[in-house]
Amino acid sequence: MTTLEPATDAAQDNLAALESEAIHIFREVAGEFDRPVILFSGGKDSTLLLHLAIKAFWPAPVPFPLLHVDTGHNFDEVIEFRDRVVEKHGLRLVVAKVQDWIDDGKLEERADGLRNPLQTTPLLETIAENKFDAVFGGGRRDEERARAKERIFSLRNAFGQWEPRRQRPELWNLYNGRHRPGEQVRVFPLSNWTEADVWNYIAREKVELPSIYYAHQREVYQRDGMWLAEGPWGGPKPHEEVKELTVRYRTVGDGSCTGAIESTAATVEEVIAEVSASRLTERGATRADDRMSEAAMEDRKREGYF
Amino acid sequence: MSSLLRLATAGSVDDGKSTLVGRLLYDTKSVLADQLDAVTRASVDKGLSTPDLSLLVDGLRSEREQGITIDVAYRYFATPKRSFVLADTPGHVQYTRNTVTGASTAQLAVLLVDARKGVIEQTRRHAAVLSLLGVPQLVLAVNKIDLIDYDEATFAVIADEFQSHAKSLGYQDGTVLSIPVSALEGDNVASKSDRTPWYLGPTLLEHLENVPVAPDPHDAAFRFPVQYVIRPRTPEYPDYRGYAGQIAAGTVRPGDAVVVLPQGLHTTVERIDTPDGPLEEAGAGSSVTILLADDFDIARGELIASAERQPAVTDEISAALCWLSSKPLKAGAQVWVKHGAKTVKAIVEELNARFDEQTLSTVGDPESLQLNDIGQVTLRLAEELPVDDYKLSPRTGAFIVIDPKDGDTLAAGLVGERFA
């Protein structure tokens, strides 16, 4: 959420410290847990997470599978990217499809068509079914006020719930991964990264991202002040006028609530320059689900969301 | 100079910590338009005429309802000179444990006092905790200076009292700075106030940007807890056996003589590996993979250390505990101790003393340690651990105490005699 600027020497030291901390966290989980999994959506934070995991265990393979909670409202480019990355690194991918839960009658489609809020149940049930005991997420504390309170090792009860008043103190770099059967620990190696750090590190390490993070031509229509693309989430409606614009995405999530921004930034350097001039946070700009109430993120985290 | 400063705030309730942190974020332009809009809307809803900056940081529903900070939160801001990670800790007495949490990694702590109240019990308690944990730099922010009409004499009395308290805790001159501020009005936070012409020192932000951060002493003895053994067994790397971890102290170079503890195996470092290529030298804080000259069987939890300067290997340690749990500690308790990458069973053999932060003296043979107490104890371990005195090597002198029943973190532990 801080101003983005091309990384100076001092910032490079900062990136090295953040990288080292994240690698330490990955190895700690590998040493202490039986069945970890990395949440992977193909977005920039989870792509960065995977990049760091690969570095943490090099030259051995990453000892965890990936888990994608698939809302069914995806951008084709992101799914293509996801599958290519999994293939390239010889990883195992578990996909939990929200559509399957809807088809089973366990979840009901919302009137507004948003599927991000529907992810929690498939996530928790897939964790339980696979007996995952540690779940890596790409959450950063700078994203949101409730996330600022999150521990790096965050214990969730048998219902996957977060209880902010009962968090374990986290001292030095001694992470406590103890949990009872049925409980799980959410792990956030990117906790101390800011959006600026993420982009500067992506530039430094030449991390490939889905193409939709960079400027391209797309047909979009305006809804609730956001530019949405056509898709299975019910748009455009007859009165919603479609325009072809040069856009890119600042975050990648469910297509029903992730908006594009008008942009000509086609390279990492141009993205860094653009974001540094922006007066909006990445979520404030393009994520409808966080606007639903003042405590939307906190409430979803309490239920078991990331 | 280090580009990153880790700092913690401390202070008692209602002295304006959240407002000060909100002010730092606001004045460093770390708050973007949509965040400020949200705060402005919420402030209007509360009937306020100006944005309540504390709402930028009090993120939980119950915090906003009660107007207090409940849990430690981490904030990020940056200036062209430095990046900052700020652990924002609550001031309520029952949450002192969060001050310990925030301070365990802090290189500087900002203690707030209300200029109308001066140094109070909680200030002394927090300063003692910060000293115990070895936080090298302190700032006393004498807040609400506007409410005492920017009075120099009152500020001087508070600053003098705090300086002498800090001195008795072991803080040398040059490590403690007092600044008159108004978090609400912004005086001396990011910009110099013309309402305190008598104050000649830096603003809070200037000080944070320029304060020297004591680097890890380059001559510290090498310490490397083995976190994970990397054995690819791939066609490309059939015989690779690397010990992965984060260097806890000192530096290492290929050829260095090392010892693996507690086994006591002697060997040399063959190679320091990273995915970006091997290194000629690696220092504290770096996550690396070490390959040794001899093919020993070494497991997670062991320590690779300088052969010339070894830590003590012992199954009985004397340590200070900051007790962070509402379950009291009594002698004879069975616990887990996590030190480096090793977790061992332990028995608390004796409670030797309890520290009184008010009088800075110790009370012998306490019955128990209660929430927020600091005590000196003797621990007997089920297995030997290689430990250093916390004062000499914090990362290998620190441990956490875990409840074997529910896995809760009970205490912060510091090896060695912490108070005479």
Side-chain angles (χ1 to χ4, degrees):
Chain A
M1 80 188 195
T2 47
T3 315
L4 273 173
E5 301 205 338
T8 57
D9 285 352
Q12 290 295 355
D13 291 349
N14 185 18
L15 291 180
L18 291 170
E19 179 195 66
S20 181
E21 180 182 69
I23 287 174
H24 175 255
I25 291 162
F26 271 110
R27 291 166 170 175
E28 217 32 35
V29 170
E32 298 239 313
F33 292 82
D34 294 325
R35 294 180 65 81
V37 68
I38 302 175
L39 269 200
F40 185 73
S41 65
K44 71 177 187 314
D45 294 321
S46 61
T47 299
L48 185 54
L49 208 54
L50 180 60
H51 180 85
L52 289 160
I54 290 166
K55 289 191 108 172
F57 300 101
W58 177 92
V62 176
F64 325 119
L66 306 180
L67 168 61
H68 181 208
V69 181
D70 178 354
T71 64
H73 290 171
N74 300 298
F75 296 92
D76 294 342
E77 298 91 331
V78 177
I79 294 298
E80 181 273 325
F81 173 81
R82 179 196 76 181
D83 293 342
R84 190 155 45 82
V85 166
V86 166
E87 172 82 29
K88 180 177 164 193
H89 298 290
L91 299 161
R92 190 165 73 83
L93 174 72
V94 178
V95 181
K97 290 188 166 156
V98 171
Q99 188 65 49
D100 292 345
W101 270 259
I102 294 172
D103 292 346
D104 282 356
K106 291 196 223 162
L107 283 178
E108 197 174 331
E109 192 91 70
R110 295 161 53 100
D112 59 10
L114 295 186
R115 282 194 173 177
N116 255 16
L118 300 183
Q119 288 183 90
T120 302
T121 302
L123 171 67
L124 293 178
E125 292 188 12
T126 306
I127 288 171
E129 190 186 321
N130 288 274
K131 298 191 169 55
F132 293 132
D133 53 0
V135 185
F136 290 100
R140 309 192 317 264
R141 290 173 179 149
D142 81 320
E143 287 176 87
E144 208 272 343
R145 288 180 300 186
R147 284 219 163 133
K149 305 261 167 181
E150 184 65 89
R151 298 289 186 266
I152 290 174
F153 273 40
S154 179
L155 184 70
R156 302 298 173 96
N157 66 20
F159 301 94
Q161 290 168 314
W162 182 60
E163 180 43 76
R165 279 173 186 259
R166 291 185 51 83
Q167 300 192 85
R168 290 174 178 165
E170 209 152 71
L171 301 146
W172 299 288
N173 60 347
L174 295 169
Y175 302 109
N176 177 356
R178 300 265 146 189
H179 60 285
R180 288 179 282 201
E183 290 178 343
Q184 38 157 312
V185 177
R186 302 286 175 90
V187 184
F188 300 101
L190 305 183
S191 285
N192 287 323
W193 297 56
T194 63
E195 189 186 11
D197 297 325
V198 167
W199 277 109
N200 282 321
Y201 188 76
I202 285 168
R204 184 183 100 170
E205 300 277 306
K206 301 187 171 54
V207 180
E208 189 196 349
L209 294 181
S211 57
I212 67 172
Y213 277 105
Y214 304 105
H216 57 285
Q217 296 283 112
R218 188 179 287 266
E219 289 197 335
V220 289
Y221 60 92
Q222 196 146 43
R223 183 182 290 177
D224 298 335
M226 288 192 309
W227 290 111
L228 296 183
E230 185 197 354
W233 43 88
K237 291 180 177 149
H239 66 278
E240 290 170 331
E241 186 195 344
V242 175
K243 282 187 179 176
E244 183 165 307
L245 297 177
T246 304
V247 297
R248 67 175 203 89
Y249 287 85
R250 210 166 147 186
T251 69
V252 166
D254 184 74
S256 63
C257 59
T258 303
I261 55 168
E262 289 195 69
S263 167
T264 55
T267 65
V268 182
E269 289 68 29
E270 286 166 5
V271 169
I272 291 174
E274 178 186 282
V275 177
S276 66
S278 171
R279 295 297 303 142
L280 295 176
T281 62
E282 55 184 291
R283 288 188 163 264
T286 57
R287 287 294 271 268
D289 49 333
D290 293 332
R291 299 186 190 168
M292 287 189 291
S293 86
E294 211 194 335
M297 176 71 86
E298 177 185 352
D299 294 344
R300 280 186 291 143
K301 281 169 67 70
R302 281 175 180 271
E303 283 171 27
Y305 186 75
F306 268 82
Chain B
M1 180 194 285
S2 167
S3 59
L4 178 71
L5 183 76
R6 291 181 185 259
L7 69 151
T9 61
S12 72
V13 68
D14 285 338
D15 54 17
K17 264 198 322 298
S18 297
T19 309
L20 182 72
V21 174
R23 171 62 65 183
L24 271 174
L25 297 178
Y26 182 74
D27 286 354
T28 52
K29 301 191 170 46
S30 305
V31 181
L32 298 180
D34 55 318
Q35 296 170 316
L36 197 60
D37 283 351
V39 164
T40 306
R41 273 199 310 276
S43 303
V44 170
D45 289 348
K46 288 170 68 179
L48 303 171
S49 54
T50 53
D52 177 356
L53 294 178
S54 73
L55 295 176
L56 285 171
V57 296
D58 285 338
L60 301 172
R61 197 185 278 282
S62 42
E63 291 177 325
R64 288 193 296 274
E65 284 161 8
Q66 296 174 39
I68 60 164
T69 309
I70 287 171
D71 201 352
V72 60
Y74 294 84
R75 313 288 169 195
Y76 306 84
F77 59 99
T79 67
K81 284 194 175 167
R82 245 185 198 166
S83 297
F84 302 91
V85 177
L86 184 153
D88 182 16
T89 71
H92 271 266
V93 174
Q94 68 264 41
Y95 300 120
T96 297
R97 65 189 205 136
N98 288 317
T99 304
V100 176
T101 304
S104 71
T105 51
Q107 298 153 312
L108 177 146
V110 179
L111 266 153
L112 266 88
V113 295
D114 184 326
R116 296 166 302 175
K117 297 176 188 157
V119 174
I120 59 170
E121 181 183 330
Q122 189 74 329
T123 321
R124 294 167 169 277
R125 181 195 299 268
H126 282 157
V129 168
L130 298 169
S131 147
L132 179 78
L133 289 164
V135 178
Q137 294 276 344
L138 296 185
V139 172
L140 185 76
V142 182
N143 191 25
K144 307 190 184 182
I145 198 81
D146 51 319
L147 299 183
I148 59 161
D149 295 325
Y150 303 93
D151 181 43
E152 180 181 8
T154 309
F155 171 79
V157 168
I158 297 169
D160 286 350
E161 186 184 351
F162 185 75
Q163 294 281 354
S164 66
H165 181 66
K167 201 160 205 167
S168 59
L169 288 167
Y171 283 96
Q172 308 290 313
D173 290 344
T175 58
V176 182
L177 176 70
S178 299
I179 308 177
V181 302
S182 167
L184 195 66
E185 305 285 335
D187 296 285
N188 296 327
V189 178
S191 49
K192 196 140 188 70
S193 173
D194 52 18
R195 293 179 282 205
T196 54
W198 42 266
Y199 174 70
L200 305 174
T203 65
L204 176 59
L205 191 61
E206 274 168 2
H207 184 60
L208 296 180
E209 283 181 317
N210 295 308
V211 67
V213 174
D216 183 71
H218 204 260
D219 58 353
F222 174 63
R223 300 287 185 260
F224 184 78
V226 174
Q227 241 194 317
Y228 193 77
V229 182
I230 295 190
R231 295 219 60 188
R233 299 176 207 268
T234 53
E236 209 181 336
Y237 298 95
D239 302 318
Y240 190 99
R241 184 199 285 268
Y243 300 102
Q246 189 172 31
I247 300 174
T251 54
V252 64
R253 300 176 66 90
D256 283 359
V258 292
V259 60
V260 182
L261 298 171
Q263 292 194 63
L265 305 167
H266 284 261
T267 183
T268 53
V269 172
E270 188 169 273
R271 188 177 151 99
I272 306 161
D273 232 349
T274 75
D276 302 312
L279 300 176
E280 276 305 300
E281 183 182 275
S286 300
S287 284
V288 295
T289 300
I290 289 180
L291 283 76
L292 299 176
D294 293 283
D295 198 12
F296 294 135
D297 182 18
I298 300 166
R300 169 175 165 87
E302 294 186 69
L303 183 83
I304 300 175
S306 158
E308 289 128 58
R309 295 152 75 196
Q310 301 186 20
V313 177
T314 174
D315 62 3
E316 187 166 283
I317 51 179
S318 175
L321 295 186
C322 302
W323 196 251
L324 308 174
S325 168
S326 51
K327 297 169 258 190
L329 174 71
K330 296 224 160 111
Q334 299 214 15
V335 294
W336 290 93
V337 162
K338 183 172 183 185
H339 172 262
K342 183 87 177 175
T343 305
V344 300
K345 280 187 173 178
I347 290 179
V348 182
E349 281 205 319
E350 270 181 81
L351 305 185
N352 304 314
R354 189 178 64 75
F355 180 64
D356 185 322
E357 310 95 350
Q358 293 309 305
T359 58
L360 304 182
S361 62
T362 54
V363 185
D365 301 317
E367 272 290 296
S368 64
L369 290 185
Q370 309 282 337
L371 176 64
N372 298 325
D373 277 351
I374 297 168
Q376 187 72 36
V377 306
T378 306
L379 289 164
R380 191 156 55 79
L381 310 171
E383 292 172 58
E384 289 187 322
L385 285 182
V387 295
D388 287 294
D389 191 308
Y390 183 84
K391 280 191 280 263
L392 300 175
S393 178
R395 284 293 155 100
T396 44
F399 60 92
I400 56 173
V401 178
I402 297 172
D403 189 333
K405 288 191 292 295
D406 57 15
D408 280 353
T409 301
L410 297 172
L414 302 92
V415 176
E417 298 285 339
R418 296 298 292 171
F419 17 82

